[in-house]
Amino acid sequence: MLEILRDRFRARVQASLTRAGLTLPWWGALCASAVSFVFTVVALVQRDALLPPEPIALAGLIVIAPSVIWVVTDWIMPWVRMTALIIAASVLLIEPVLPDFAPLLLLVAATEAGSVLRTTWGIALVTIVGEAVLVVAGIWGGLIGGPVYMVAILLGLSGGLMVRWYTRVLDAERGNRDASRDKALLAERQRIAREVHDVVGHSLSITLLHLTGARHALQQDRDVDEAIEALTEAEQVGRAAMADIRRTVGLLADSPSGSAPLPGVEDIATLVERTRSAGLAVRYTQEGDLGRVGASEGLGLYRIVQESLVNVVKHAPGATAEVRLNAGRSGLKLIVSNTLPATVRRAAEDGSGLAGMAVRAAQLGADLSAGPSGRQWIVQVTVPGGKP
């Protein structure tokens, strides 16, 4: 129960500070109020036999009033509090004592001014008025040790300005941290969006090829067995795509979505075979040791091949394609080429998948080129270095 009350009180104090535009921690405001209250009580006790009851009561009420207003209305007024501290100190310094705690109220006012006031002239005004009160008390009231108290006010001002500086640094650090977190979240969402785009685009293209083959088998050849085979392949591609999408989208969850790994460079052969079985004339050749290819590089190359084959199906129906992968000591080289009729070249150039391939290549530190060369469209990716 006590913890609940404490948390509620802390939240209420912090909310009032935020509403007042103050970036101080909740305990800082409470400590400042407690310190000023203690200094006031000690200064009043020191003057119990020197001042009439009216000035003593007035000084105490002036200091306590802002805190009472804060507790009752949940509203902090920095200017009112600083003014109250200066007035209370002025009243108490009508009759100075030795040692005197009343000037310490001016120190608290200067410290709070340096830490919370937003204008330079406001800070200077509070400091100058506090110093002026000490000068007057020293000349006409006989305050002893006035210069020491004046230096103390300047030290309090320095402490307040230091608190302000540390608060601003902390706020800037929090802002940078939030911006970095938002940037990382955005990059992760974009990465997952690219994964889903590649999986859905490829699976739909292959599925449509199988469905087209089934339709032709039924309409033209009346071959039910061929149609069933094509539909079965389309079903398998769809199920595999759904599993891949679940794994990819599962990256957004807090817990792992499954034990099945994401595709890598070894799966390019299966990808090409699946595309070939759907009706696209594509050939795959591979040279070198695939063990040199890292997991991230393998996934990136797989997605680039996947997007390239999707573009062939979309923009160059009836074309023939070839996928060549070379994994050598000097690096990786991937080439995806296909025949390209001139009538569809413009559509291929405008494909949005090229932007996704460029992003993947950049993540791998690879060089990517894509464009027509004679009667072919060629996508070439070169990853320097490779895996030793």
Side-chain angles (χ1 to χ4, degrees), residues 36-334:
S36 61
F37 179 76
V38 170
F39 288 167
T40 302
V41 170
V42 174
L44 292 177
V45 172
Q46 289 177 325
R47 290 164 173 77
D48 185 31
L50 299 177
L51 288 175
E54 292 80 6
I56 293 179
L58 177 62
L61 180 61
I62 290 174
V63 172
I64 296 175
S67 300
V68 173
I69 294 175
W70 181 16
V71 173
V72 175
T73 65
D74 195 22
W75 189 261
I76 298 177
M77 296 173 287
W79 270 108
V80 174
R81 173 172 167 76
M82 294 171 200
T83 303
L85 291 174
I86 293 175
I87 294 176
S90 301
V91 172
L92 294 174
L93 287 176
I94 295 175
E95 193 67 43
V97 295
L98 186 67
D100 202 338
F101 272 70
L104 298 182
L105 297 178
L106 301 176
L107 182 150
V108 175
T111 304
E112 293 186 3
S115 59
V116 303
L117 293 186
R118 301 179 181 179
T119 59
T120 304
W121 66 265
I123 299 174
L125 179 62
V126 172
T127 305
I128 292 173
V129 171
E131 300 282 11
V133 169
L134 293 177
V135 171
V136 173
I139 295 176
W140 283 283
L143 176 65
I144 299 176
V148 176
Y149 291 124
M150 295 177 70
V151 172
I153 289 179
L154 296 179
L155 292 177
L157 175 62
S158 300
L161 293 176
M162 188 175 297
V163 170
R164 173 195 295 270
W165 184 82
Y166 277 116
T167 303
R168 289 182 176 179
V169 170
L170 181 60
D171 290 341
E173 181 180 353
R174 289 174 178 171
N176 292 335
R177 185 176 58 196
D178 293 341
S180 299
R181 184 182 67 248
D182 294 341
K183 185 177 180 180
L185 290 175
L186 178 60
E188 180 67 10
R189 290 173 180 173
Q190 291 175 340
R191 186 181 69 84
I192 294 175
R194 287 193 297 270
E195 294 288 340
V196 174
H197 168 270
D198 292 344
V199 171
V200 172
H202 175 77
S203 60
L204 286 179
S205 298
I206 301 303
T207 301
L208 289 176
L209 285 176
H210 283 300
L211 294 178
T212 301
R215 179 172 58 82
H216 287 167
L218 292 175
Q219 287 181 342
Q220 299 177 5
D221 303 330
R222 304 297 179 180
D223 190 341
V224 177
D225 293 336
E226 183 180 350
I228 292 176
E229 182 181 356
L231 292 175
T232 302
E233 289 289 339
E235 180 184 6
Q236 292 176 353
V237 170
R239 292 184 182 277
M242 287 301 299
D244 204 354
I245 290 174
R246 289 192 185 99
R247 290 196 301 269
T248 303
V249 176
L251 295 175
L252 288 172
D254 294 333
S255 58
S257 59
S259 58
L262 290 173
V265 68
E266 299 86 356
D267 300 301
I268 293 180
T270 304
L271 173 67
V272 173
E273 180 61 31
R274 186 189 308 160
T275 307
R276 183 189 301 115
S277 65
L280 178 64
V282 55
R283 184 178 62 177
Y284 175 59
T285 57
Q286 180 262 319
E287 298 177 0
D289 182 11
L290 296 184
R292 301 180 183 277
V293 185
S296 60
E297 295 169 340
L299 176 60
L301 294 176
Y302 179 92
R303 294 306 188 198
I304 291 175
V305 173
Q306 190 177 51
E307 181 63 31
S308 299
L309 295 179
V310 169
N311 287 339
V312 174
V313 175
K314 290 167 55 178
H315 302 298
T320 60
E322 181 180 6
V323 178
R324 288 175 288 171
L325 176 63
N326 187 307
R329 294 184 177 275
S330 59
L332 308 172
K333 188 173 184 179
L334 172 69

